[in-house]
Amino acid sequence: MRRVRFPVLLVLAVLLAAPAAPARPLQGKVSALLNTRKIDQNQVGLLIVDLTRDETLASVEPTRAMIPASNLKLVTTAAALGVLGPDFLFQTRLRVIPPDAWAQDADLGDEIAGYRQAPAIVVQGDGDPAFVDPDLMQRFGYGQDVRDIEQFLQLWVRYIKEAGVQRVSHIFVDDRVLDRQFVHPSWPVNNLNEWYSAQVAGLSFNNNCIDVYASPAPTVGESPLIRLSPIMPFLRASNNARTATTDTFWINRPQGSNHLTFFGNVKTHRTSPTSITMHDPPMLFGEVLAHRLTEAGIEVAGFGRPGDGQQLPDGRTIHIVQTDLPTVLTRCNKRSQNLYAEALLKRMGRHITGAPGSWETGGAAIRQFLQQRLGTRAAAIRIADGSGLSRDNRISAGALVALLAAMHEDSTLGPIYRQTLAVGGQDGTLANRFKKPLAGTIHAKSGYINRVSALSGYYILPGEEGEREHVVAFSFLFNDFQPPVHVHHLRQLQDDLVGVIEEYIAARRKTAVGG
């Protein structure tokens, strides 16, 4: 792995080691902004470094360990590029195993013994969080003109039919690439049904959520009409909602179950779904596939996971769904998709150990990467999960800027990494920020959980007349803020801090040109 060039390492090392900061060009303006907005400096970790000039522009407690929220995704995605490599492909395989390859020696239960001469189907998961992601399918297609999950399922049914399969002895959903601890123990329990807390599994689909579309009935007081995507008529559901003149629709799912209960009022037809996390996505996908095959006239005796030590014959691969790593990184950083970050972390754990990927082994892979890139500063970084949803993560603004500097100096990984970040005023989570025209461009990652707000990334001013671009790396971390300071105040402050960077770099360029 290529490391950051010596001057940047030297500047950051001096900065992070020095108890008293030297004079810095933006220190006064940054301090004035914090004071004006009544920000307690005990709640701040901040660092701004001009990478082009190897110059620290401002800092506030840059070594303070802070909760990063989704700024942790900057670490996870950088590590994924370093550990998995930019050419890595997730590959989800659909295989057919002929009966003579497995059934003769298998201990078949009575319910499928009569299918001894029928082939088995294997869905081989690879930890791909983008597998049957509706948004990606609508944007890019799925190898053919496949734009939604139902079209995809019908495509697989067709491939299975074309393979000559008329009866299926068993659908094996092989999710052993990752472990089966679907939920991180430090995630907020009250949020586990929300889409951003989707379970993490070796086979994911539909963002590991059930999309619910509610429409009012013709008469007030009647039960609303409910449609699920994917279509799952076998799913248990209780409809306690009512058609009314207000909209208060919500869904409950007990932990450990996929039994949905609908509550509240429905006033209007919803074109956007209410999404709720699903339990045990691999097994739910197996049940969905079995249902679609049965509807198509292919008998299915059963479905389930292979045993932990069970070796399944290779059989014949009839379809592979591939997702390149940059696509996953981009959705992770631009859209701040937590499932993607967690899948990346666990997949790194699988990559370095060969055992089912876990939060422990994935965290170890990230720490190893950080040690190679940041040296001793990596020791103070605490990795609990990959997305930043856990409040147990800790990292300093200085470490984040050092990582941004190291990635910027990597001629192979750096350009890929930068392109995965949201662009201020244009896309992702920054689409509605930085609306005021800037001379430069913001490539950054925002972050928010309760009482945590963060923004870290690059300010980039394009070069003029053959000059190279001017790049500034920054990290603004705010923890434990209380009213009257709210998250929207901090987002505006972060935008204003970027504005200070813009003014300074533009003024320096003007002075240099004038001289």
Side-chain angles (χ1 to χ4, degrees), residues 80-125:
L81 277 170
V83 174
L84 300 175
D87 297 326
F88 179 83
L89 289 172
F90 290 92
Q91 298 186 337
T92 305
R93 299 173 182 269
L94 177 65
R95 308 200 325 257
V96 176
I97 304 178
D100 57 357
W102 76 283
Q104 300 303 319
D105 297 325
D107 183 16
L108 301 181
D110 293 340
E111 69 277 8
I112 65 172
Y115 287 72
R116 189 175 291 276
Q117 297 305 314
I121 299 294
V122 178
V123 180
Q124 180 92 44

Side-chain angles (χ1 to χ4, degrees), residues 215-220 222-225 243 266:
S215 300
T219 304
V220 170
E222 292 184 350
S223 298
L225 307 177
T243 300
V266 177

Side-chain angles (χ1 to χ4, degrees), residues 24-307:
R24 290 161 185 164
L26 296 183
Q27 195 69 45
K29 290 188 175 182
V30 167
S31 297
L33 272 175
L34 295 177
N35 292 334
T36 301
R37 309 300 168 84
K38 297 180 172 55
I39 305 299
D40 186 343
Q41 295 208 7
N42 292 323
Q43 300 168 346
V44 182
L46 179 150
L47 180 60
I48 306 170
V49 174
D50 185 335
L51 300 184
T52 300
R53 298 176 60 89
D54 295 326
E55 179 183 21
T56 298
L57 303 181
S59 69
V60 179
E61 298 294 339
T63 62
R64 174 179 284 151
M66 306 284 283
I67 302 173
S70 282
N71 273 205
L72 189 69
K73 293 182 177 76
L74 292 169
V75 177
T76 303
T77 52
L81 277 170
V83 174
L84 300 175
D87 297 326
F88 179 83
L89 289 172
F90 290 92
Q91 298 186 337
T92 305
R93 299 173 182 269
L94 177 65
R95 308 200 325 257
V96 176
I97 304 178
D100 57 357
W102 76 283
Q104 300 303 319
D105 297 325
D107 183 16
L108 301 181
D110 293 340
E111 69 277 8
I112 65 172
Y115 287 72
R116 189 175 291 276
Q117 297 305 314
I121 299 294
V122 178
V123 180
Q124 180 92 44
D126 196 26
D128 182 3
F131 180 66
V132 200
D133 179 327
D135 188 70
L136 293 179
M137 296 173 75
Q138 291 169 10
R139 291 186 182 187
F140 308 118
Y142 241 49
Q144 299 189 27
D145 188 20
V146 175
R147 299 290 170 173
D148 60 43
I149 186 170
E150 295 303 329
Q151 289 179 338
F152 174 80
L153 290 166
Q154 292 308 312
L155 179 68
W156 268 24
V157 168
R158 177 162 65 83
Y159 285 150
I160 291 170
K161 280 187 171 182
E162 290 174 352
V165 176
Q166 298 177 337
R167 307 171 80 199
V168 175
S169 58
H170 203 67
I171 297 174
F172 288 102
V173 183
D174 194 345
D175 62 345
R176 293 175 291 184
V177 65
L178 305 183
D179 70 1
R180 293 175 190 142
Q181 185 181 17
F182 301 134
V183 176
H184 195 280
S186 66
W187 287 353
V189 174
N190 292 339
N191 296 341
L192 293 181
N193 283 351
E194 303 291 343
W195 68 268
Y196 53 79
S197 300
Q199 295 187 6
V200 187
L203 181 78
S204 294
F205 76 108
N206 203 56
N207 294 319
N208 290 347
C209 288
I210 301 168
D211 295 328
V212 180
Y213 296 83
S215 300
T219 304
V220 170
E222 292 184 350
S223 298
L225 307 177
I226 302 293
R227 178 173 66 88
L228 303 183
S229 179
I231 298 169
M232 292 180 282
F234 51 81
L235 203 69
R236 292 179 60 210
S238 302
N239 191 354
N240 296 335
R242 289 291 178 266
T243 300
T245 57
T246 58
D247 269 311
T248 59
F249 182 73
W250 62 284
I251 311 166
N252 182 58
R253 178 184 64 80
Q255 297 306 306
S257 166
N258 281 315
H259 180 189
L260 305 183
T261 303
F262 310 119
F263 295 98
N265 298 332
V266 177
K267 177 183 178 181
T268 58
H269 173 72
R270 294 166 185 247
T271 57
S272 297
T274 301
S275 296
I276 187 167
T277 58
M278 61 178 69
H279 174 65
D280 197 347
M283 285 301 92
L284 195 55
F285 182 81
E287 193 166 6
V288 169
L289 181 58
H291 174 266
R292 298 303 190 276
L293 290 172
T294 301
E295 277 194 327
I298 299 175
E299 298 178 58
V300 179
F303 67 92
R305 293 183 170 92

Side-chain angles (χ1 to χ4, degrees), residues 465-486:
E465 299 178 0
E467 294 181 351
R468 61 176 174 163
E469 62 185 12
H470 205 115
V471 182
V472 176
F474 61 87
S475 180
F476 312 140
L477 306 178
F478 298 90
N479 285 187
D480 300 320
F481 53 88
Q482 303 285 347
V485 176
H486 298 281

